C-alpha cells in the first residue's frame, strides 16, 4: 500500500524541541520530504533526505530516517511560535513520478 | 517573482457550473501536477503532466479535465461542479525526477 501515517497533533512550549514522526510503507521510495503548511497558505518544502542517508541536518531542522522500520522524523530545535503549522511528510512513489503525502501533523507552539 | 502561481485564489460557484483554475510556473520544470486537499487536510495527487503529456491520472472523475498548452502551464477544468468538489486545489511543478517539487498557493474552491 501507499499509506503514509503521522500523528495528528503535537503541542510544545516555545524553546523546546519538537519531534514529528512519520511512518511510510513504500520501501522503494528514493526520496522523503518534509513540507510545512501555514494557515491559508501553500506548501513550503522544508527539507528532504535521500533514502541512502540516515540523517540530515539543516540549521534547526534534523531529519532522521530509519529505512528498516520505514520511519522518518523531523526534529525542530528551539521551537518558535512561527513554527506553528501543519507538517507533512511525503515519499516519492509511483516509480518516481509522484509525491504521496502523509496525513499531516498540526504543530502548536505555546508560550 | 512567484515560482508557481495559480488563479484564482478563491472560487465560489454554484452546483452544476463549469469552472477553470489556471497554473503557471516560471522555473523551467518539465513536470506539473494537480493535488487536492480536502477539509481534513489530506493531500492527494490528481494528475501529473510531463512535457505536456499526461503521465498520472489518479482515479479522478471525468468531470475533471487537465489541459497543458505548454510545459509552463497546466490548467484544470471542472464540469458540472458538485458539493463534494469543494476543496483546496494545489498546482505544483518539478523536474521529472521530482527531487524538489514546488507548490502554488492553492485555490480554495467552494461549491454551494
Amino acid at each position: 500500500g501507499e499509506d503514509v501515517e503521522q500523528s495528528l497533533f503535537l503541542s510544545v512550549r516555545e524553546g523546546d524541541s519538537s519531534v514529528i514522526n512519520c511512518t511510510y510503507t513504500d520501501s522503494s521510495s528514493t526520496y522523503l520530504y518534509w513540507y510545512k503548511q501555514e494557515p491559508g497558505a501553500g506548501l513550503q518544502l522544508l527539507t528532504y533526505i535521500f533514502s541512502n542517508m540516515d540523517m540530515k541536518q539543516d540549521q534547526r531542522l534534523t531529519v532522521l530516517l530509519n529505512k528498516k522500520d520505514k520511519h522518518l522524523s523531523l526534529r525542530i530545535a528551539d521551537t518558535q511560535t512561527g513554527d506553528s503549522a501543519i507538517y507533512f511528510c511525503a515519499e516519492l512513489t509511483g516509480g518516481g513520478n509522484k509525491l504521496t503525502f502523509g496525513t499531516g501533523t498540526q504543530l502548536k507552539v505555546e508560550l | 517573482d512567484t515560482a508557481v502561481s495559480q488563479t484564482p485564489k478563491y472560487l465560489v460557484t454554484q452546483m452544476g457550473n463549469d469552472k477553470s483554475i489556471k497554473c503557471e510556473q516560471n522555473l523551467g520544470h518539465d513536470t506539473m501536477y494537480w493535488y487536492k486537499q480536502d477539509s481534513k487536510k489530506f493531500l492527494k495527487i490528481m494528475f501529473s503532466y510531463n512535457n505536456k503529456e499526461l503521465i498520472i491520472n489518479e482515479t479522478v472523475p471525468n468531470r475533471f479535465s487537465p489541459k497543458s498548452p505548454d510545459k509552463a502551464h497546466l490548467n484544470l477544468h471542472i464540469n458540472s461542479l458538485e458539493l463534494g468538489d469543494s476543496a483546496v486545489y494545489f498546482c505544483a511543478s518539478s523536474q521529472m525526477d521530482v527531487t524538489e517539487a514546488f507548490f502554488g498557493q492553492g485555490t480554495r474552491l467552494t461549491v454551494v
Side-chain angles (χ1 to χ4, degrees):
Chain A
E2 293 182 351
D3 293 338
V4 182
E5 295 185 357
Q6 302 176 235
S7 49
L8 289 180
F9 298 102
L10 176 64
S11 181
V12 299
R13 288 187 185 233
E14 191 177 37
D16 288 350
S17 292
S18 308
V19 179
I20 302 170
N21 294 303
C22 170
T23 302
Y24 62 98
T25 58
D26 189 346
S27 57
S28 65
S29 293
T30 50
Y31 287 93
L32 295 126
Y33 304 81
W34 284 103
Y35 280 84
K36 176 183 180 183
Q37 185 179 31
E38 296 184 51
L43 290 152
Q44 175 195 354
L45 176 64
L46 286 177
T47 186
Y48 62 91
I49 188 167
F50 187 49
S51 59
N52 70 351
M53 298 168 65
D54 51 22
M55 186 180 95
K56 181 178 179 181
Q57 186 148 6
D58 184 0
Q59 299 182 336
R60 292 192 296 124
L61 305 178
T62 303
V63 178
L64 295 178
L65 175 60
N66 181 330
K67 221 178 157 185
K68 176 175 162 289
D69 294 337
K70 299 193 191 73
H71 186 262
L72 182 73
S73 68
L74 175 70
R75 178 177 180 269
I76 306 172
D78 186 26
T79 313
Q80 303 296 308
T81 53
D83 294 325
S84 293
I86 301 177
Y87 290 80
F88 292 93
C89 64
E91 57 176 344
L92 191 59
T93 57
N97 287 328
K98 65 177 183 178
L99 289 174
T100 297
F101 283 87
T103 47
T105 298
Q106 172 86 54
L107 173 64
K108 183 178 176 185
V109 182
E110 297 172 328
L111 295 172
Chain B
D1 281 348
T2 305
V4 182
S5 59
Q6 299 177 226
T7 53
K9 190 169 180 185
Y10 300 97
L11 183 53
V12 181
T13 188
Q14 289 188 326
M15 270 186 356
N17 283 350
D18 303 339
K19 289 293 177 187
S20 292
I21 307 172
K22 295 188 176 181
C23 178
E24 176 182 6
Q25 55 96 3
N26 62 6
L27 297 166
H29 288 159
D30 58 12
T31 306
M32 295 184 73
Y33 313 81
W34 278 108
Y35 280 81
K36 179 180 179 180
Q37 186 175 42
D38 65 19
S39 58
K40 293 183 181 173
K41 305 296 185 185
F42 294 147
L43 271 159
K44 201 160 165 65
I45 192 166
M46 299 172 69
F47 300 103
S48 169
Y49 268 72
N50 174 256
N51 284 318
K52 304 195 298 174
E53 288 192 24
L54 180 68
I55 55 173
I56 292 176
N57 180 341
E58 289 280 306
T59 323
V60 178
N62 291 338
R63 298 181 296 103
F64 289 79
S65 52
K67 291 232 172 14
S68 181
D70 55 57
K71 282 197 323 182
H73 295 84
L74 181 63
N75 303 324
L76 184 64
H77 188 75
I78 316 170
N79 288 328
S80 303
L81 278 154
E82 300 177 357
L83 292 176
D85 297 332
S86 294
V88 181
Y89 292 84
F90 286 101
C91 176
S93 75
S94 74
Q95 287 300 101
M96 183 61 187
D97 63 5
V98 201
T99 310
E100 293 187 58
F102 294 86
F103 283 75
Q105 291 300 295
T107 296
R108 181 174 292 278
L109 171 66
T110 304
V111 182
V112 297

